[in-house]
Amino acid sequence: MKNKLLLVIPAALALVFTTTNALAADGKAVYSDNCLKCHGDDGKGQSKMGQKVGARDYTDAKVQASFTDAEGIKAVKEGLKKDDKTLMKPYADLSDDDVKAVIAYMRTFKK
């Protein structure tokens, strides 16, 4: 019995960590929780707040091509400013996996 328990515990821990990582990397959920208000359901940035801050249209292939994933990750983590105006607040509290997942999800808007 003791030997079987030693085999079950690592398997259970692996399942917990795999499930947690899958949930953390759910880009659509992260987007819905953090980006939707400005960027909208469709990524066009035409929400009231998105229009106010000049959110870009992420369905536009040219907009998508204008920055790398690394630049997108940096923008999410550090925020965006133009002159003294904050265009996007930093989301430094998001995990690296969440930020990568939200950038990957945002890339799906490109037409």
Side-chain angles (χ1 to χ4, degrees):
M1 180 69 175
K2 189 175 181 180
N3 289 339
K4 288 183 183 179
L5 189 57
L6 290 175
L7 293 174
V8 171
I9 291 173
L13 287 173
L15 180 62
V16 168
F17 287 119
T18 301
T19 303
T20 301
N21 285 339
L23 291 174
D26 184 356
K28 185 175 183 177
V30 175
Y31 182 90
S32 293
D33 290 344
N34 300 281
C35 312
L36 189 79
K37 183 177 179 180
C38 293
H39 295 283
D41 274 337
D42 56 5
K44 290 187 178 214
Q46 292 302 304
S47 68
K48 195 173 207 177
M49 184 60 100
Q51 290 176 344
K52 182 178 177 181
V53 297
R56 298 172 81 187
D57 179 358
Y58 291 118
T59 64
D60 185 334
K62 289 179 184 176
V63 170
Q64 292 265 359
S66 71
F67 64 95
T68 65
D69 286 353
E71 290 168 330
I73 290 167
K74 182 178 179 185
V76 171
K77 290 294 239 178
E78 297 177 10
L80 292 172
K81 286 187 174 191
K82 184 175 182 179
D83 303 320
D84 288 334
K85 182 178 181 184
T86 298
L87 302 177
M88 185 174 82
K89 71 178 185 171
Y91 289 89
D93 57 326
L94 291 176
S95 72
D96 289 346
D97 286 342
D98 284 345
V99 175
K100 289 175 187 173
V102 80
I103 295 296
Y105 177 71
M106 187 241 3
R107 294 289 192 194
T108 68
F109 291 132
K110 181 174 76 173
K111 297 197 177 180

